[in-house]
Amino acid sequence: MANSANPLVRTVGIVLMVFGIIFVAAGATTWGMVTSQLSDENITVPDDASMMAGKKVSGPLTAYAQADIINQHALKASDGLTYAELGVKATEAKEAGDEALAEEYTQQRVTAMNGSFLRASLFTSVLAYGVSALVIGLGILQFLAGLAFNKLASRPAAPYAQGYQQ
């Protein structure tokens, strides 16, 4: 016989299932929005990238590949120096009286800074994909837990749960 004495278990199961559906929908919506925004930028991973060369940036792997190649290009343009290192070099050149070299380092620093900004934006997209996948996974688990709770709520309670006294 069905146990109507477990309304809390049934309610918790329903709440878990509802939140599971909401989580899956929210994660999928976020994934779709990020994909749409990346696709609208019409970015193509350059041919010299180590992976995904020639692919349109529209997902986590292509966004990561694009961020990686931007870093490689920025380092090549700055002779392997980072933004911070270029600042030190520009200051040293200026203090040594070599304004032309200081200006060259400053221009390389601008290139490194732009590369860093672009990489950060792409890595934000990669992070958003990861969080979306996590939320979708948690939503599926919540929904399944809700199903299990509802299955438990429909079973007869064990004697000790019904106030059984020895």
Side-chain angles (χ1 to χ4, degrees), residues 44-116:
T44 301
V45 179
D47 291 335
D48 60 339
S50 60
M51 62 180 187
M52 303 289 173
K55 302 279 186 191
K56 184 175 182 179
V57 176
S58 61
L61 296 177
T62 52
Y64 182 84
Q66 181 67 20
D68 182 58
I69 195 64
I70 286 171
N71 185 50
Q72 290 178 36
H73 289 171
L75 287 172
K76 184 177 180 182
S78 66
D79 297 324
L81 298 173
T82 66
Y83 175 81
E85 292 168 332
L86 288 165
V88 171
K89 292 284 189 185
T91 301
E92 288 172 353
K94 194 171 196 173
E95 288 173 354
D98 192 342
E99 291 296 325
L101 185 57
E103 180 60 27
E104 183 181 329
Y105 283 133
T106 300
Q107 289 303 315
Q108 289 176 346
R109 194 167 194 232
V110 169
T111 299
M113 179 180 61
N114 288 336
S116 292

Side-chain angles (χ1 to χ4, degrees), residues 1-164:
M1 100 181 185
N3 185 359
S4 59
N6 286 323
L8 177 62
V9 174
R10 185 170 305 284
T11 301
V12 169
I14 291 169
V15 168
L16 283 171
M17 289 178 9
V18 168
F19 274 99
I21 292 168
I22 291 170
F23 274 38
V24 169
T29 299
T30 301
W31 187 286
M33 287 174 44
V34 173
T35 298
S36 174
Q37 293 294 313
L38 281 174
S39 292
D40 288 350
E41 293 296 322
N42 293 316
I43 304 166
T44 301
V45 179
D47 291 335
D48 60 339
S50 60
M51 62 180 187
M52 303 289 173
K55 302 279 186 191
K56 184 175 182 179
V57 176
S58 61
L61 296 177
T62 52
Y64 182 84
Q66 181 67 20
D68 182 58
I69 195 64
I70 286 171
N71 185 50
Q72 290 178 36
H73 289 171
L75 287 172
K76 184 177 180 182
S78 66
D79 297 324
L81 298 173
T82 66
Y83 175 81
E85 292 168 332
L86 288 165
V88 171
K89 292 284 189 185
T91 301
E92 288 172 353
K94 194 171 196 173
E95 288 173 354
D98 192 342
E99 291 296 325
L101 185 57
E103 180 60 27
E104 183 181 329
Y105 283 133
T106 300
Q107 289 303 315
Q108 289 176 346
R109 194 167 194 232
V110 169
T111 299
M113 179 180 61
N114 288 336
S116 292
F117 289 156
L118 291 170
R119 290 180 67 227
S121 294
L122 288 163
F123 282 138
T124 300
S125 297
V126 173
L127 179 64
Y129 280 116
V131 171
S132 295
L134 173 68
V135 170
I136 291 168
L138 289 174
I140 291 169
L141 288 175
Q142 279 187 296
F143 186 82
L144 293 174
L147 284 176
F149 270 58
N150 279 322
K151 184 76 170 169
L152 289 173
S154 66
R155 291 186 173 180
Y160 61 87
Q162 295 176 348
Y164 178 76

